[in-house]
Amino acid sequence: MTRRLAVICAVFTALWSAAAAAQTYPTKPVTMVVAYAAGGPTDTIARLLAERMGRSLGQTVIVENVSGAAGTIGTAKAARAAPDGYTIAIGHWGTHVVNGALYANLTYHPFDDFAPIAMVTTGPQMIVSHPSVPAKDLKELVAWVKANGDKVTAATSGIGAGSHVSGVYFNNMVGGKIQFVPYRGAAPAMQDLLSGQVQLMFDQAANSLPQVRAGKVRAYAITARTRSPAMPDIPTVDEAGLPGYHVAVWHALWLPKGAPDAVVERLNTAVREALDDPQVAAKLATLGQDLPTAEQRTPAGLRAHHKAEIELWWPLIKAAGIKIE
């Protein structure tokens, strides 16, 4: 009887401690790790969310850029952090899906080593070029790429990044030989596209759309089945002549695995409050980002979507022979 009482007391103590933690968390600033350079699309989205989440949490959310190796360095750092809720990873289709198929020796598992918080945005890629490229629409671009062989260059935000994989996917679909030039993030890649050092980019809309609107780069299509409300004048790949070339770069937040459920729920609430804020939603829309569904904003919804994306893309990437040692 004494032993049973001890077990009951231990369980009660654990539950009480978890409840107490939920009531007091957070008691200090929270760090959001961005695995890419400052100024890129993931960084921009992170800073919008961090400011609004900080107001809900009552603590500052600090954005820390840890770039390099297509997002694997920063993602690994977040995976190894203490699961106490004070280190959040913001990642996307590239960091948490694509990299798992590309890298044979990752020091973390992009699915198993994280506790999902919520999906925060979803958006298609955009096919863009420097204005000097003579093609005026997607059909002309495909013909120009095929005619110029390995003389065509495209910037990527790193070897194996989403911009690289989607570019290789494009090559495979059209029979092109585009040469890919890796950078340490989307922002420096865009700088060289703007200067004409490279000709193309298969980019996140959050990064390209401001330059498209300013007339500094040309947009051919978005890699979605339907037009985006944020950019209704840009056709889909199906409309523009490359049906089936669909790539969606969704962003989400995770904690290291083992994070307490109460902390996950506290952060999830802060995320949902941020996405429900009309000012945040409007700013994300100007970046070409669509908001996820109510279900995708839950930890369970993110987990299900994440698993489905891995099951879809890992076989495709491996079949294409894209890998990084």
Side-chain angles (χ1 to χ4, degrees):
M1 187 70 177
T2 303
R3 184 176 180 181
R4 183 180 179 186
L5 181 60
V7 170
I8 292 173
C9 289
V11 171
F12 177 80
T13 300
L15 291 173
W16 182 86
S17 297
Q23 289 176 354
T24 59
Y25 170 85
T27 59
K28 60 182 180 180
V30 175
T31 297
M32 185 183 294
V33 177
V34 175
Y36 296 100
T42 303
D43 178 73
T44 302
I45 292 168
R47 292 178 190 278
L48 281 173
L49 291 172
E51 191 280 328
R52 183 59 180 82
M53 287 175 64
R55 282 189 267 154
S56 294
L57 295 170
Q59 291 286 345
T60 302
V61 178
I62 301 166
V63 173
E64 180 183 5
N65 298 91
V66 185
S67 62
T72 61
I73 294 174
T75 307
K77 179 177 180 177
R80 293 192 297 265
D84 55 9
Y86 291 99
T87 301
I88 302 171
I90 181 168
H92 56 54
W93 172 72
T95 57
H96 283 71
V97 176
V98 171
N99 284 351
L102 289 174
Y103 288 85
N105 300 308
L106 279 180
T107 58
Y108 62 91
H109 192 284
F111 184 83
D112 295 339
D113 287 345
F114 293 91
I117 299 173
M119 189 187 299
V120 293
T121 65
T122 182
Q125 296 280 80
M126 186 184 294
I127 306 170
V128 296
S129 79
H130 187 267
S132 63
V133 172
K136 297 299 188 291
D137 57 37
L138 186 56
K139 288 182 179 179
E140 289 185 9
L141 181 69
V142 170
W144 178 79
V145 166
K146 293 169 72 172
N148 284 274
D150 60 6
K151 296 178 182 178
V152 180
T153 58
T156 76
S157 53
I159 297 173
S163 51
H164 181 201
V165 172
S166 54
V168 171
Y169 189 24
F170 180 88
N171 260 353
N172 291 346
M173 286 193 72
V174 306
K177 296 181 180 179
I178 297 169
Q179 300 300 299
F180 299 100
V181 183
Y183 293 83
R184 288 183 63 86
M190 176 56 69
Q191 287 302 313
D192 268 13
L193 180 67
L194 291 172
S195 68
Q197 298 299 309
V198 290
Q199 297 157 305
L200 301 177
M201 198 166 172
F202 299 85
D203 194 23
Q204 293 182 53
N207 195 51
S208 285
L209 191 55
Q211 308 302 337
V212 172
R213 288 172 171 158
K216 296 180 179 180
V217 299
R218 179 184 294 124
Y220 294 97
I222 59 169
T223 59
R225 292 176 174 81
T226 59
R227 295 197 183 199
S228 170
M231 38 191 167
D233 54 328
I234 299 177
T236 68
V237 285
D238 298 295
E239 294 171 325
L242 191 58
Y245 179 61
H246 301 141
V247 184
V249 178
W250 47 272
H251 281 80
L253 298 180
W254 289 267
L255 288 166
K257 69 176 180 180
D261 290 344
V263 171
V264 172
E265 182 57 34
R266 182 77 177 88
L267 288 168
N268 178 265
T269 298
V271 171
R272 287 187 284 110
E273 288 176 355
L275 297 179
D276 287 339
D277 187 315
Q279 292 185 336
V280 173
K283 288 177 181 178
L284 289 172
T286 64
L287 296 172
Q289 298 297 302
D290 297 323
L291 295 182
T293 65
E295 174 60 23
Q296 290 170 334
R297 300 183 199 190
T298 67
L302 170 56
R303 180 179 291 278
H305 182 79
H306 190 182
K307 185 174 183 290
E309 286 283 273
I310 285 174
E311 291 172 350
L312 170 65
W313 284 100
W314 280 13
L316 292 174
I317 292 168
K318 291 173 180 177
I322 310 169
K323 60 182 178 179
I324 298 174
E325 302 298 336

